[in-house]
Amino acid sequence: MNINEKQTWHFKEDIYVEATGTAVGPYESNGPLTESFDKCYDNLYCGEDNWELAERKLMMDAISICLKKANKTEKEINVLLAGDLLNQNVTSNYVARQLKIPYLGTFSACATAMETVAIGASLISGGFSNRVIAATSSHNATAERQFRYPTEFGGQKPDTSTFTVTGAGALLLSKKPTSIKVTHATVGRVIDMGIKNPFNMGTAMVPAALDTIMTHLKDTGRSDSDYDLIVTGDLSIIGSKVLKELLREQGIKLRNNYQDCGVMIFSRDQPVFAGGSGCACPAVVTYGHLLKEMQLGKIRRMLVVATGALMSPTMMQQKESIPCVAHGVVFESEVIDP
């Protein structure tokens, strides 16, 4: 692995996406990307007794599907890298308890999806692991209960709010040749522009996304035109518009090669305010829809910049502002000889 300047890792060794698994809830199942997901549930309980158990089931589903696709067992995985939005990563912790795979818990809020991929690729590149699973999850009802108000309260929200995605995604990294490689990772800095409104996290995360994208392009010597797609995690309709304006000020005029996972996962007629958010948002869109687009040859090189708001209800009650981070990973497709 070569280190370019301070923040971007270039993986010289070939590190491949061997398999993926996704599981989603009812709103996601009824959205425009439903055909891209491996398992869909028609209610938030997912056949369980409570929402926390439902989220746990979603992550187990995603990992189990991923392992089945790769024809691997838990014993053949060196490390499970996983994180979620609940206090102390309890979804990931309890899933790891069941799987008994060596486990490293990670947290970058909604940026966890790409954080786990970046760390997993570095472990393989450094020779410390042969197979790594990166997994993350979120659940609309568990997030509402923890970060906002009791769901029974029925509090009204402004249009700037985002809708936490119910789902989980898992990705298996290894050196087994496939059509998709992980080639770079840019580790983001924590940036806080003083925004205190927890109902406008898309805008709060924009500066972190901007910083990571600009840093990645500078470190690699590339331009936005070198990518078929640059996609952010969950800036939503509002945040993604702000990002495009700020990039334009930096001389980067993204056109058809920019999208946001939070905008893609839901249709405009669904009651989801400004779009999707949550750890599962970039995970299920990337591991489900976008990597399938790469397999079909529609995308050859893609930069996924997952964005995360690193706040808690306690900090909001203490009138703190919202620190944010964005981690970027480059996926590239290549033709595999038969």
Side-chain angles (χ1 to χ4, degrees):
M1 179 176 71
N2 284 357
I3 301 175
N4 295 322
E5 296 194 5
K6 294 182 179 180
Q7 290 176 240
T8 300
W9 306 338
H10 182 194
F11 304 112
K12 291 294 187 180
E13 300 81 3
D14 290 337
I15 301 169
Y16 296 94
V17 177
E18 187 171 346
T20 63
T22 54
V24 298
Y27 280 86
E28 299 73 20
S29 300
N30 291 319
L33 304 182
T34 181
E35 297 298 324
S36 299
F37 305 131
D38 295 307
K39 191 164 188 176
C40 297
Y41 287 96
D42 60 6
N43 66 76
L44 290 174
Y45 284 96
C46 303
E48 298 294 331
D49 292 334
N50 59 59
W51 294 322
E52 285 73 22
L53 287 175
E55 182 173 345
R56 199 182 305 174
K57 185 172 186 178
L58 287 164
M59 184 179 282
M60 277 297 305
D61 284 342
I63 294 172
S64 297
I65 291 167
C66 182
L67 287 171
K68 184 176 181 180
K69 287 182 182 179
N71 195 28
K72 296 290 185 295
T73 66
E74 292 89 340
K75 293 181 180 180
E76 295 177 275
I77 306 304
N78 300 118
V79 179
L80 168 64
L81 295 165
D84 53 88
L85 290 178
L86 299 188
N87 287 336
Q88 295 181 282
N89 273 353
V90 291
T91 300
S92 304
N93 297 343
Y94 281 78
V95 167
R97 178 185 69 177
Q98 183 173 346
L99 291 172
K100 302 187 185 308
I101 300 172
Y103 165 65
L104 290 173
T106 61
F107 181 80
S108 282
C110 304
T112 301
M114 291 306 110
E115 178 186 19
T116 54
V117 174
I119 295 173
S122 66
L123 288 173
I124 294 174
S125 178
F128 300 106
S129 297
N130 292 319
R131 297 186 186 92
V132 175
I133 284 184
T136 190
S137 68
S138 57
H139 189 290
N140 186 271
T142 64
E144 286 294 311
R145 176 150 59 193
Q146 177 167 297
F147 288 99
R148 299 180 181 96
Y149 301 110
T151 52
E152 298 83 359
F153 180 67
Q156 300 299 301
K157 297 179 182 179
D159 291 339
T160 56
S161 300
T162 52
F163 190 88
T164 304
V165 166
T166 298
L171 177 145
L172 174 59
L173 293 170
S174 73
K175 290 190 175 182
K176 179 180 178 180
T178 68
S179 60
I180 300 174
K181 292 198 298 187
V182 172
T183 61
H184 297 77
T186 299
V187 179
R189 301 184 300 135
V190 176
I191 296 178
D192 188 340
M193 299 302 291
I195 295 176
K196 297 184 178 182
N197 182 3
F199 293 105
N200 189 6
M201 290 191 295
T203 301
M205 293 185 288
V206 166
L210 175 69
D211 185 77
T212 297
I213 292 171
M214 296 301 298
T215 298
H216 175 81
L217 296 178
K218 179 182 177 182
D219 285 355
T220 59
R222 293 175 175 173
S223 70
D224 63 291
S225 61
D226 290 313
Y227 291 92
D228 297 313
L229 182 65
I230 296 175
V231 60
T232 46
D234 57 347
L235 297 184
S236 74
I237 295 171
I238 296 170
S240 57
K241 289 181 179 178
V242 176
L243 175 64
K244 291 176 73 173
E245 292 174 3
L246 293 178
L247 285 169
R248 191 175 297 113
E249 292 177 2
Q250 299 294 325
I252 299 175
K253 298 180 180 179
L254 295 175
R255 295 185 177 85
N256 295 327
N257 64 333
Y258 170 72
Q259 295 188 57
D260 181 79
C261 295
V263 177
M264 297 170 66
I265 194 167
F266 297 123
S267 61
R268 293 295 182 92
D269 60 352
Q270 290 182 284
V272 293
F273 305 99
S277 62
C279 291
C281 186
V284 300
V285 173
T286 302
Y287 306 163
H289 175 66
L290 294 176
L291 292 187
K292 287 182 180 178
E293 292 287 283
M294 295 194 82
Q295 290 172 338
L296 293 172
K298 296 180 180 181
I299 301 172
R300 299 304 299 265
R301 180 185 286 163
M302 171 175 68
L303 171 62
V304 181
V305 181
T307 43
L310 307 175
M311 52 80 167
S312 74
T314 301
M315 295 298 100
M316 293 297 95
Q317 292 164 8
Q318 295 176 5
K319 309 301 180 184
E320 273 277 9
S321 52
I322 304 174
C324 299
V325 71
H327 300 307
V329 172
V330 176
F331 297 88
E332 299 191 29
S333 65
E334 60 178 25
V335 176
I336 299 298
D337 293 331

